[in-house]
Amino acid sequence: MSTRTGRDVLGRGLRVLGRAIRTEPRLFVIGALGSSLFGLLVIANSYVVGAVIGHVVVPAFSEHRAGTAELGLIAAAFIGISLLRVASIFGRRLGAGFMQFRLQARYRRAVTRRYLALPPAWHQRHATGTLLSNANSDVEAAFVPIAPLPFAVGTIVMIVAAVVSLFFTDWVLAMVGVCLFPMLFGLNYIYSRRMSPRQIRAQQLRGRVSAVAHESFDGALVVKTMGREADESKRFQVHVSELRDALISVGRLRGLFDPLMDALPSVGTLAVLLLGAWRLQTGALSVAELVSVAFLFTVLAFPVRAIGWVVAELPRSVAGWERVQAVLAADGDLAYGTAEAAASGPAALTFDQVHFSYGEDGRGAEVLYDISFTVPAGKTVALVGATGSGKSTIASLAVRLVDPDSGTVSVDGIPLPELSEQALASATALVPQIPFIFDDTVRGNVTLDRDGVDDTAAWRALRLAQAEGFVAKLPEGLETPVGERGTSLSGGQRQRLTLARALAGRPRLLVLDDATSAVDPRVEAAILASLRGHEAGASILVVAYRRATIALADEVVYLEDGKVVATGTHAHLMATEPGYLNLVTAYEKAEHAEEVTA
């Protein structure tokens, strides 16, 4: 890969820059015009300096006089050029800066939107730290060359104008520029080929370090309680050391490249002085012209560096761009239809011969086999089964986080893929096993700024979730900040707040994936009793293991190894299914043991 990248990185990098220019053409034009004006003013300034030396300074020394008018004219010329250079620099930096930051903001939003559109299965295959790196450092790297790009374009204009002006001045000295400028471009090309694999590796290692760091921070509690701080630090150090070595390699090559870029214009200046002295003696060149050309080569070094800056960052830009494009081009989107569900009233959920397997394109191990059952409108159905039996997968299918390999999941007789995205979101709600709380207030977490979800709706949802009491006791009620991931709340309070969030949208089908496991059994019973009441207005599919919770369900679906073994009431299954009886009894014994230990 590195060989191919080293060979064509310049072309791919230029395509990235072309894409950026087409995206923000006006800002690029502003920056390029400002830079071009700056380059032309550099040339003009060189000839003004030559004219001053040749026609004012030298005669003043030889005649021992300096005219006031000439000095005033010189001052006016330098002030005018300086003011124009200030305006050109402002335009160049304004265009380049706005262009770079707008592109970064645009693609950060695009990457984030793509993350939200991709299904959970895609996210499960990618480390969170890597995804953070894609949205942050990769987007930033992709558009790093944008800052010096207008300057480089203006430099090219300046070089062309400089070569033309050199030929008008003296063809011998012009040949120095004709030889020097291709050498500068050739040096940049060689540099980009050697730098490309180094920059790509460094960018990949940045993502890896970000992934390891995020995992360490996210698992800080486990690391601390298991006494693994030293081991985790060593693991992180390995990746950081690799990134350090990669960046040192980049810096070493850049350290060799930069002096060469500085040296070439100096060599050109020396050649101009040597040849110019000879041409001056033959009378082919005036003092003013020699000074102008020599000064021009002296000031060329810094602008020409802009081309080097762009070329130097192209490998990193290509690496970042390709990693960003890998996200934007990722497939697996769920296509939505146009059908609308009923506006109110409990919904009926139906699974009809559903098969499902994890893995890309359904090529993984099958976890659900011929699943068929119904949640009647207004009823509560409990999913019961051992760990790994497929309960959470069924919960995800019920709200269409994933689609089945075959079979149909439908709400009120409408297959979920035929529903519009808004219709599905308003009809169903999932409360997952692990509650997620935003770093916001209680109100922000419950309402999510949704239309029609006001304080009245928030308090209603909190009441149904048995969270009204503890929220009312918080220092600022609904306005109380709860901290990142709800760190100021207990596990049971976080679960109830997450449940209230789902209820606030008045879903017609509520899917609870073991969503009350952290609350007291009596509170859980109260929650389910309130949800079964008329006020909730929803059908309920609940993943449960407590006997008290299961007993509240109208029907139980018993799973074993991804298959529906039996359906019926809790009492019926206890009497007819030995496996169900053993499982529920084991759950009950385990729960009792926990209570005794506590």
Side-chain angles (χ1 to χ4, degrees), residues 512-557:
L512 307 178
D513 185 7
D514 201 12
T516 54
S517 57
V519 303
D520 183 274
R522 288 169 295 181
V523 176
E524 182 185 37
I527 291 173
L528 290 176
S530 67
L531 294 180
R532 284 165 56 88
H534 178 71
E535 187 179 2
S539 307
I540 302 171
L541 177 64
V542 55
V543 174
Y545 69 92
R546 288 173 175 166
R547 178 182 291 205
T549 305
I550 299 170
L552 289 172
D554 298 296
E555 187 174 67
V556 177
V557 176

Side-chain angles (χ1 to χ4, degrees), residues 31-100:
L33 288 176
S35 182
S36 299
L37 177 60
F38 175 84
L40 295 175
L41 289 171
V42 168
I43 298 173
N45 192 59
S46 299
Y47 281 91
V48 169
V49 170
V52 169
I53 298 296
H55 300 297
V56 178
V57 176
V58 172
F61 275 104
S62 61
E63 301 174 10
H64 302 288
R65 67 175 182 83
T68 304
E70 289 91 343
L71 292 176
L73 184 62
I74 292 170
F78 278 119
I79 291 173
I81 290 176
S82 297
L83 291 175
L84 288 173
R85 288 179 69 176
V86 168
S88 67
I89 293 172
F90 177 77
R92 183 191 79 215
R93 293 186 175 178
L94 180 70
F98 271 61
M99 182 179 178
Q100 183 181 34

Side-chain angles (χ1 to χ4, degrees), residues 523-598:
V523 176
E524 182 185 37
I527 291 173
L528 290 176
S530 67
L531 294 180
R532 284 165 56 88
H534 178 71
E535 187 179 2
S539 307
I540 302 171
L541 177 64
V542 55
V543 174
Y545 69 92
R546 288 173 175 166
R547 178 182 291 205
T549 305
I550 299 170
L552 289 172
D554 298 296
E555 187 174 67
V556 177
V557 176
Y558 175 47
L559 301 169
E560 282 186 2
D561 299 325
K563 299 177 182 178
V564 175
V565 176
T567 60
T569 64
H570 170 64
H572 174 72
L573 294 181
M574 288 289 284
T576 60
E577 289 293 331
Y580 179 80
L581 172 63
N582 292 335
L583 180 65
V584 174
T585 303
Y587 280 152
E588 194 170 31
K589 288 179 179 178
E591 184 179 352
H592 178 69
E594 289 179 2
E595 292 176 355
V596 171
T597 304

